[in-house]
Amino acid sequence: MSYLVCDQCGGYYELHENESPDDFESCECGGNLKEVENLKNLWQCINVECDYKEYGEKDDTCPKCGKSFYKVDIDESRRIFTLKNKCKADPDYLNKNKRFNTVGAIIIAYLVTGFLIFLLRFIPDILLGNVLTIFITIFGGFVATYLAKSNEPIIGLYYGLVDLVGRIHLIIIFKFQYTFLFILFLILIPVFGLFGGYLEKMLSSRLKKR
């Protein structure tokens, strides 16, 4: 099984057993078609300010901007094509629609979750408070990823690392008691943040499909 993917609009067509790539000249939009084995390993220039759209191979670099090609799936590829078209039509498009840089997004998420965790002090049930703390940490990774311009799940991991450093400082200042579960939670904080980042990414992808 293989597919033909358009390097202009990101549309794709699944080839049947009796069909050949030579049977198709171009996409309906006029773009060139490239045969690929699956829709999860597409290599292309992800610099949205560069209008080069053709797919390449793993070690290729963009002939226009010189940046390395990155592996994307078909949904991400379509999003990149859309942004490239918008940037080409309006060179100032990114500045008009940007959110926050990575540092700003993480700081805002950290402040929001810090306030929520502060509110947990008023919950008498310790077990419930611990469970909510995990969900708040995941939520922090979600918020940081959503607010960041790059909108990549790894932003959630960065948030988790910042959150971890903040909690270690609190441990030193207030001399919390160490338990196995407490140490395990500290170790998993970056993982929770990364999970929140992936949740945001998945939700954004599904909303864009509608």
Side-chain angles (χ1 to χ4, degrees):
M1 179 188 300
S2 60
Y3 302 85
L4 293 179
V5 183
C6 175
D7 62 10
Q8 184 69 24
C9 67
Y12 64 91
Y13 174 77
E14 181 180 348
L15 288 172
H16 300 292
E17 294 184 0
N18 60 341
E19 293 179 327
S20 167
D22 296 332
D23 297 335
F24 303 85
E25 296 183 357
S26 63
C27 177
E28 293 179 354
C29 72
N32 297 319
L33 296 172
K34 177 182 176 62
E35 183 180 11
V36 296
E37 294 183 359
N38 59 67
L39 301 175
K40 295 183 178 180
N41 300 303
L42 305 173
W43 294 85
Q44 70 179 103
C45 172
I46 64 172
N47 176 16
V48 296
E49 296 178 325
C50 172
D51 61 0
Y52 188 78
K53 295 184 176 181
E54 294 184 18
Y55 293 108
E57 303 299 330
K58 180 177 180 180
D59 297 322
D60 288 349
T61 57
C62 177
K64 285 197 173 182
C65 69
K67 294 186 177 181
S68 299
F69 278 17
Y70 283 81
K71 183 172 68 173
V72 297
D73 60 24
I74 189 63
D75 291 328
E76 184 68 5
S77 179
R78 283 177 166 177
R79 188 179 74 85
I80 292 170
F81 283 148
T82 299
L83 289 175
K84 283 178 178 285
N85 290 334
K86 290 180 178 179
C87 289
K88 185 176 181 180
D90 181 5
D92 199 39
Y93 174 79
L94 290 180
N95 291 327
K96 293 178 180 178
N97 294 275
K98 66 181 180 181
R99 297 171 183 170
F100 299 91
N101 59 35
T102 300
V103 175
I106 291 175
I107 291 175
I108 293 174
Y110 184 73
L111 292 175
V112 171
T113 55
F115 175 73
L116 294 176
I117 290 175
F118 171 77
L119 294 179
L120 294 181
R121 297 175 56 190
F122 302 101
I123 297 179
D125 189 328
I126 297 177
L127 178 60
L128 177 60
N130 291 335
V131 173
L132 290 176
T133 300
I134 294 176
F135 281 102
I136 290 174
T137 307
I138 295 173
F139 177 69
F142 184 97
V143 172
T145 304
Y146 173 77
L147 294 178
K149 286 190 297 183
S150 60
N151 196 35
E152 292 299 327
I154 197 170
I155 304 299
L157 174 64
Y158 295 155
Y159 157 80
L161 292 173
V162 172
D163 192 5
L164 175 61
V165 172
R167 292 177 188 271
I168 291 176
H169 277 84
L170 291 176
I171 292 171
I172 295 174
I173 294 173
F174 296 101
K175 298 180 180 179
F176 287 105
Q177 293 183 350
Y178 294 92
T179 64
F180 172 76
L181 291 178
F182 185 69
I183 294 175
L184 179 62
F185 170 73
L186 290 178
I187 294 174
L188 292 177
I189 284 177
V191 178
F192 292 145
L194 180 62
F195 180 65
Y198 272 106
L199 284 179
E200 194 284 330
K201 188 73 172 181
M202 291 171 56
L203 181 60
S204 295
S205 298
R206 289 190 177 184
L207 291 175
K208 287 172 184 174
K209 290 180 180 178
R210 295 182 179 180

